[in-house]
Structure formats: structure tokens, C-alpha cells
């Protein structure tokens, strides 16, 4: 069967959507303050947790992670807290 490039592209996109379903949720704005300095494991906030732009190292529990990934986890947690209408410490 010969398919036009447009149809092939459309089928490819649909296949990708099925293979990698995405859920879009409207989350109220979460406060981004200190997300880059907060440990996603223990919650400790310290300027010294950022070894440099790329690396995160918690001064309290020793958690090591890419700084952007750690900050993303914190933003995700805050968004989930807002969705469940619980305080940020949830
Ligand atoms: Zn920690």
C-alpha cells in the first residue's frame, strides 16, 4: 500500500500518541520559589545544595541528582499538592 507523506505522518503521530499517551492536567500556578535549592527527597532548602548550575547535592541527606531533574520533581510535588488542595508540606 502506498500512502502519501501526509497520511504517513498522521498515522505516525497517532501511533506515537498511543505508544506514549500524555495526560494534560490544568494545574494552578505552583510557587517556584526555592525549587532549585530544595531537596526532592528530604525537603531541606539550602543555597549550598546547588554545587553548580547542573549538580544538586543535599547538605542534609546527601541526595545527589541533576539539578534540573531535582527542581522538576519539586515543581511536580507542589502541583500535585495544589491539585489535592493540601498544604505545600503534603
Ligand atoms: Zn535531602
Amino acid at each position: 500500500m502506498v500512502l502519501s507523506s501526509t497520511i504517513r505522518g498522521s498515522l505516525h503521530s497517532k501511533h506515537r500518541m498511543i505508544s506514549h499517551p500524555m495526560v494534560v492536567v490544568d494545574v494552578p500556578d505552583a510557587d517556584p520559589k526555592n525549587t532549585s535549592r530544595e531537596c526532592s527527597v528530604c525537603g531541606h532548602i539550602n543555597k549550598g545544595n546547588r554545587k553548580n548550575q547542573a549538580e544538586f547535592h543535599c547538605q542534609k541527606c546527601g541526595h545527589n541528582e541533576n539539578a534540573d531533574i531535582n527542581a522538576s520533581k519539586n515543581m511536580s510535588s507542589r502541583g500535585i499538592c495544589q491539585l489535592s488542595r493540601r498544604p505545600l508540606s503534603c
Side-chain angles (χ1 to χ4, degrees), residues 44-90:
H44 179 65
I45 298 173
N46 189 312
K47 185 178 181 179
N49 287 346
R50 290 292 298 271
K51 295 174 68 175
N52 54 49
Q53 185 66 26
E55 298 175 73
F56 181 91
H57 176 80
C58 180
Q59 303 299 300
K60 185 176 181 183
C61 75
H63 173 65
N64 282 302
E65 190 165 41
N66 173 284
D68 290 336
I69 292 174
N70 182 73
S72 297
K73 288 178 179 177
N74 291 332
M75 285 300 295
S76 176
S77 296
R78 292 180 186 191
I80 290 169
C81 286
Q82 287 193 4
L83 283 175
S84 62
R85 300 176 196 270
R86 287 188 277 172
L88 290 178
S89 60
C90 67

